[in-house]
Amino acid sequence: MKLSRRKLVKNSFIALILAMVVIGASYCFAQVKAQNDSKASSFQYMRKINSVFDFVQQNYVDEIDPVVLYEGALKGMFEALGDPYSVYLDSDYMRDLTDTTEGSFGGVGLTISKPVESTPEKPAYVEVASPLEDSPGAKAGIRAGDLIVAVEGRPTPELTMNEVLGLLRGEVGTPVTITILRGTNMRFDVRLVRALIEVPTAKYGMIEGTKIGYVRLIEFTPETPIRFQDALDSFEENGYKSLIIDLRDNPGGLINSVVDVADKFIDKGVIVSTKSRIAIENMEFKASKDKTTARKNIPIVVLINKGSASASEILSGALKDYKMAYLVGENTYGKGSVQQVRQLSDTDGFKLTMARYYTPSDVNIDKIGIPPDLEITNMESLTKEQEDNYVKLVEDRVIEKLVEDNPEMTEKQIAENAKVISNDTKIDARIIRKIIRNQVTKYSTPLYDLDYDLQLNEAIKIVSNPDFNTLLKKTKTLKQLQQEKEDKELQSKTGNSK
């Protein structure tokens, strides 16, 4: 049957309209879907995660424990934040955290961090934030900033943080070998014997022959304010005229603890503030005159280095901003964030960055650190020949064997042996003496070492300077330093630098 021309045109027109309707509907559906995808709620994403979790568990080629999927999913979630301080805490990690908080654990005594991402250009080596006082790591001469590139021959970029901790910890008295990268060229193995690590908090005493009180704060625990007050009371009894606070290699600790210590000096104003997108995390920790116990208007020097982090940066930053102390040493680590630990069960939990802290002059030092008013290092840079000789010295266990054969060396004998080794290696005898002394005094480290410690010697000179107050007035707050840096960068960009 033939259709009339009019009917054919009519049918074609209807088909065209239908096609347009179908195309338009498809387009609108696609637009709606895109909008829905972009505005997908947390609930929708959780449904997807649950769906994938169930599918993998039921269909994977091998039977798999749901705990493995659960822990893997949480680890991946925290790694996606790109924040080395926000992590999932499995049962081993939670036990480690509890041990540290309670004050003792077994291991090598190194506070470490590890980047989330690893690339060929920048492998995710484990970085030593600080060695703990009197620990096997500190005795072996491992320093803040050293990179652990392997543990027992296993490259650390291929390991998770939990795996690294598992390898470093073990039965007391058993050895573990780590490979250290110092700078760009110095790579050497260090054999450490695991020990029961006690987390100390403070050591103090008068600098012999002076009226200078010296207190070394090792970590900020609940006991630190009490021990610090004990130090101040002891100094008062000895008629101290000035004070040196040593925060070198102090990895931080509890914010309430450091606030209480700072409050002993600062009688009014903000000690530290925390800022977050969550209202409840926005806090100001203010000083109270009733808690101020330190002697007023005495010269104070704070010693800092690249191992000074977190809470130790809060104290040094507060004393600097209020111009109460002169900072000597090296730029600090730069950890200006605050974490909270939340338990998920009796055996696991997580640690999450909830806020960033700011010094009294309203500066956050995260990834920047705090600069000293006087920069001085205890370790001068080594030549290529000296680096090679240092590596050989460590790997051949020259000093360890020397001390094993002569465990009761006197200071005179230490100096004589150091001179011989220094002549052979071209490394400063002062450094060699320190390494030998560390091994000889393996179980009783002296309070201070004026023979080796250039930073402490400089601090003693500064607090003894009659013009200390004039020197202190010339220092700048962190806000002033930040503003100067921004001004220089702006001038550089606009081509107006002088």
Side-chain angles (χ1 to χ4, degrees):
M1 183 178 66
K2 290 184 179 181
L3 294 174
S4 67
R5 178 180 176 83
R6 187 175 179 183
K7 201 166 189 178
L8 182 61
V9 170
K10 182 181 178 181
N11 287 346
S12 298
F13 178 74
I14 292 173
L16 178 61
I17 293 297
L18 287 173
M20 290 176 66
V21 169
V22 170
I23 292 171
S26 299
Y27 176 74
C28 291
F29 179 78
Q31 275 195 318
V32 170
K33 185 177 184 301
Q35 290 174 355
N36 287 341
D37 285 346
S38 66
K39 296 180 180 179
S41 66
S42 298
F43 177 72
Q44 287 174 306
Y45 284 122
M46 284 307 302
R47 287 181 62 185
K48 290 180 181 180
I49 292 172
N50 287 336
S51 176
V52 173
F53 185 99
D54 291 339
F55 187 86
V56 172
Q57 188 183 2
Q58 294 173 21
N59 295 281
Y60 182 63
V61 63
D62 297 319
E63 187 172 345
I64 188 164
D65 188 338
V67 173
V68 174
L69 296 180
Y70 163 76
E71 291 188 348
L74 287 180
K75 288 175 184 176
M77 184 186 300
F78 284 97
E79 286 177 2
L81 298 174
D83 175 10
Y85 306 115
S86 295
V87 291
Y88 168 69
L89 308 175
D90 62 16
S91 56
D92 290 336
Y93 211 130
M94 284 292 284
R95 186 188 67 245
D96 294 341
L97 195 65
T98 302
D99 289 344
T100 302
T101 304
E102 291 180 353
S104 66
F105 55 92
V108 296
L110 298 175
T111 302
I112 58 176
S113 65
K114 190 177 190 298
V116 175
E117 292 186 16
S118 183
T119 64
E121 297 77 24
K122 194 174 183 180
Y125 294 135
V126 171
E127 182 179 357
V128 177
S130 61
L132 292 179
E133 182 91 2
D134 295 337
S135 68
K139 290 291 186 181
I142 295 173
R143 308 201 307 249
D146 283 348
L147 298 177
I148 302 175
V149 299
V151 181
E152 291 294 342
R154 296 180 62 182
T156 53
E158 301 172 7
L159 303 173
T160 65
M161 185 61 144
N162 287 348
E163 289 171 331
V164 172
L165 290 171
L167 290 171
L168 291 177
R169 295 196 170 187
E171 187 178 346
V172 172
T174 59
V176 59
T177 299
I178 64 176
T179 304
I180 292 291
L181 176 62
R182 181 172 296 167
T184 55
N185 300 313
M186 294 178 66
R187 185 185 293 253
F188 51 91
D189 289 340
V190 180
R191 181 179 179 271
L192 303 173
V193 177
R194 298 181 180 95
L196 181 64
I197 305 298
E198 296 183 0
V199 181
T201 182
K203 292 184 178 182
Y204 58 88
M206 300 295 291
I207 299 290
E208 189 175 355
T210 74
K211 288 295 182 180
I212 303 170
Y214 170 79
V215 56
R216 183 162 68 247
L217 297 182
I218 299 154
E219 192 161 356
F220 287 94
T221 72
E223 292 294 311
T224 306
I226 300 170
R227 298 285 80 81
F228 192 82
Q229 188 59 52
D230 290 343
L232 292 179
D233 293 342
S234 173
F235 299 155
E236 281 288 358
E237 290 175 6
N238 286 280
Y240 79 123
K241 300 288 181 63
S242 54
L243 177 64
I244 296 174
I245 304 171
D246 193 343
L247 297 177
R248 292 174 297 180
D249 293 328
N250 181 321
L254 304 176
I255 191 168
N256 288 329
S257 175
V258 69
V259 166
D260 286 345
V261 171
D263 210 350
K264 297 181 186 300
F265 298 93
I266 305 167
D267 58 10
K268 65 179 180 179
V270 174
I271 294 172
V272 64
S273 61
T274 60
K275 298 181 183 181
S276 171
R277 68 187 180 93
I278 306 167
I280 197 172
E281 295 298 329
N282 294 319
M283 293 181 284
E284 285 187 340
F285 295 83
K286 293 184 176 180
S288 168
K289 191 174 183 179
D290 296 338
K291 296 181 180 179
T292 305
T293 59
R295 185 181 291 190
K296 288 286 188 180
N297 302 317
I298 62 168
I300 301 173
V301 163
V302 175
L303 289 169
I304 54 175
N305 67 0
K306 65 180 69 175
S308 307
S310 192
S312 58
E313 292 174 296
I314 289 176
L315 179 58
S316 54
L319 294 179
K320 178 172 176 58
D321 275 351
Y322 282 111
K323 297 198 174 188
M324 290 185 170
Y326 194 84
L327 274 51
V328 173
E330 303 162 81
N331 203 85
T332 60
Y333 185 80
K335 182 182 181 294
S337 56
V338 182
Q339 287 74 40
Q340 287 190 17
V341 175
R342 298 293 176 93
Q343 281 191 287
L344 293 169
S345 69
D346 292 337
T347 58
D348 74 337
F350 61 88
K351 183 171 65 170
L352 184 69
T353 297
M354 304 285 281
R356 292 186 175 88
Y357 74 73
Y358 288 74
T359 70
S361 66
D362 200 35
V363 170
N364 176 254
I365 51 82
D366 199 45
K367 299 182 178 69
I368 300 170
I370 296 173
D373 297 307
L374 176 64
E375 186 170 7
I376 184 169
T377 178
N378 278 332
M379 293 294 291
E380 67 276 2
S381 57
L382 303 179
T383 66
K384 180 64 168 63
E385 179 187 6
Q386 289 172 325
E387 287 183 350
D388 293 340
N389 290 339
Y390 185 90
V391 170
K392 193 172 190 309
L393 190 70
V394 173
E395 294 189 334
D396 291 348
R397 300 181 62 237
V398 172
I399 291 176
E400 287 184 58
K401 291 174 182 177
L402 173 66
V403 176
E404 286 171 3
D405 294 338
N406 305 276
E408 304 295 329
M409 268 191 282
T410 64
E411 276 297 323
K412 182 180 178 182
Q413 290 171 323
I414 289 174
E416 290 172 348
N417 283 300
K419 186 176 181 181
V420 173
I421 296 173
S422 176
N423 289 336
D424 292 339
T425 61
K426 312 300 182 188
I427 299 172
D428 190 341
R430 178 183 64 89
I431 296 172
I432 301 297
R433 285 196 302 272
K434 175 67 173 177
I435 299 172
I436 297 175
R437 195 177 291 116
N438 275 352
Q439 291 296 319
V440 172
T441 60
K442 184 171 273 189
Y443 302 106
S444 57
T445 303
L447 179 61
Y448 53 82
D449 186 353
L450 294 181
D451 174 58
Y452 165 79
D453 200 335
L454 301 178
Q455 294 168 335
L456 178 56
N457 276 291
E458 195 62 39
I460 292 171
K461 289 179 186 176
I462 291 172
V463 293
S464 304
N465 187 338
D467 293 326
F468 178 84
N469 287 333
T470 302
L471 188 68
L472 189 61
K473 285 178 183 177
K474 292 180 180 178
T475 62
K476 297 175 181 178
T477 67
L478 292 171
K479 188 69 172 182
Q480 288 172 323
L481 292 174
Q482 183 188 64
Q483 190 61 55
E484 285 183 0
K485 183 180 178 182
E486 290 175 356
D487 289 345
K488 286 181 181 178
E489 290 175 351
L490 181 61
Q491 287 176 347
S492 178
K493 287 179 181 178
T494 58
N496 294 327
S497 57
K498 296 179 180 179

